[in-house]
Amino acid sequence: SAVGRGPEVPFRSEAYSISAIARGKELRLTLSALDPAAGPPAQDLVFRFGMSGSFRLCPAAELPRHAHLRFLTRESPPRALCFVDPRRFGSWRLGDAWQPERGPCVVSEYQAFRENVLKNLDDRAFDKPICEVLLNQKYFNGIGNYLRAEILYRLKIPPFEKARTVLEALKEQEQERRKKDPSLTLSKKVKLRQENPDLLELCHSVPMEVIMAEKQLLDPEHSDYYSTLKNWLQCYLVPGMSSLRDRNGRTIWFQGEPGPMAPKGQRPRKTPRKKSPQLKADPEAPSPKVTPRASKQRRRAAAKPLKSGEKEEEEQEEQADGPRKGPARRRRTVTAAAASPEVPQSVRRSRRTSARRGRGAAPAV
């Protein structure tokens, strides 16, 4: 498209096929001419999806917004396979090379992934909290924000526990298991791991659950993928769970204590639960009267701009992926009100009138 930021694809063919293979958070497409002798050589593209990138097959006459790359079919009317990315965090590059700094895939290269983590626990990367290390694609290629929350929640691991502490304990458990019964058959080992999975095993099995759900949703009858994924989630964005921002600015959802390496100066915020339906108002109940003075005060309050400090606090709340709960604010308001004695409204009105007219001091109370 005219606004696409990716490189131009130097491939032109009247008839070609597209195949794909995934590795972690990357996807490689291969464009191959159906007649290799007459067509151009095969072209590889490696995609990163960012937060909102996806592929969509749709009629060519009804292209979705932000369709930055289109592959047209030969049928009539033609359809288009589109790379759609509203936020433009995704990208593609020419060639078949995966990013060199990414480790083995947690799904397709599980054994290599597991060995890569356990043999490199001396790396300084594991000095960080486990929630931050799970996003390090050098060791956890394929794990993203919602997956890390689901994995840690299932194992009841505090997100801000030191990564090396968690993974060294896992390594010791594995060595003890081998010493106790080295004659275990492969099927028994698999059964034991399925019954008591560790962190690295869940890094493989939890993404596989999502992949299997996606395969089922390829059926045209299943059109609402988002609601299915939302029902599958146990922790991420789930009402009642707590959240904190890690040192990279990413929000982690969890339950219970955050752990010893939690950022200082932050208080966990709970995702608000769904409000229970409120009772309907009595239609016969008299509505409160609004005096001209009260309505004028409301208009002034609405038009009054926020102070700089209040504006900064509001922006921080918006960035925290959810509103701050109300009871704490109400308690602060009540405490501040109790600190100063209440003055009768008639006295306040007379003070304002006297000061406005300049006819002497306000009457004594």
Side-chain angles (χ1 to χ4, degrees), residues 256-274:
E257 294 298 322
M261 299 184 73
K264 304 297 182 183
Q266 283 194 56
R267 296 177 62 184
R269 296 183 179 182
K270 280 202 172 185
T271 307
R273 296 184 180 275
K274 293 181 180 179

Side-chain angles (χ1 to χ4, degrees), residues 304-312:
K304 185 179 179 182
L306 289 172
K307 296 179 181 178
S308 59
E310 294 173 347
K311 186 176 292 185
E312 290 175 2

Side-chain angles (χ1 to χ4, degrees), residues 87-126:
R87 297 189 182 184
R88 300 190 188 184
F89 291 163
S91 63
W92 69 86
R93 63 184 183 276
L94 304 179
D96 61 352
W98 306 110
Q99 280 189 312
E101 65 270 20
R102 289 181 179 269
C105 176
V106 297
V107 172
S108 61
E109 303 167 307
Y110 171 67
Q111 287 301 331
F113 148 71
R114 187 180 184 92
E115 293 172 4
N116 185 46
V117 172
L118 294 180
K119 74 180 182 181
N120 288 296
L121 291 181
D122 293 334
D123 192 330
R124 293 178 61 185
F126 295 97

Side-chain angles (χ1 to χ4, degrees), residues 131 145-146 148-149 152-153 158-160 235-247 249-259 262-263 265-273 316-325:
C131 67
N145 202 20
Y146 81 96
R148 68 169 177 172
L152 295 175
Y153 170 77
F160 291 95
C235 179
Y236 182 80
L237 286 176
V238 173
M241 295 295 166
S242 301
S243 66
L244 277 173
R245 284 189 177 271
D246 63 21
R247 289 169 179 81
R250 305 293 299 277
T251 302
I252 174 69
W253 275 262
F254 61 94
Q255 186 179 51
E257 294 298 322
Q266 283 194 56
R267 296 177 62 184
R269 296 183 179 182
K270 280 202 172 185
T271 307
R273 296 184 180 275
Q316 290 172 359
E317 290 177 4
E318 290 177 357
Q319 293 173 358
D321 295 332
R324 185 176 294 179
K325 294 193 73 175

Side-chain angles (χ1 to χ4, degrees), residues 155-214:
L155 294 173
K156 308 303 178 188
I157 297 176
F160 291 95
E161 184 64 66
K162 191 174 183 177
R164 187 177 291 108
T165 303
V166 175
L167 294 169
E168 280 184 343
L170 182 155
K171 189 175 182 179
E172 292 173 1
Q173 290 174 4
E174 187 171 302
Q175 292 173 349
E176 290 177 1
R177 189 186 302 173
R178 290 177 181 175
K179 290 179 181 178
K180 285 182 179 179
D181 196 351
S183 62
L184 280 176
T185 62
L186 179 61
S187 60
K188 287 184 178 179
K189 288 180 181 178
V190 171
K191 184 178 179 181
L192 285 173
R193 288 180 176 179
Q194 289 176 346
E195 293 174 352
N196 301 290
D198 59 34
L199 177 70
L200 298 181
E201 287 162 350
L202 284 187
C203 287
H204 170 75
S205 61
V206 173
M208 284 300 298
E209 292 178 15
V210 182
I211 292 172
M212 296 307 296
E214 288 176 343

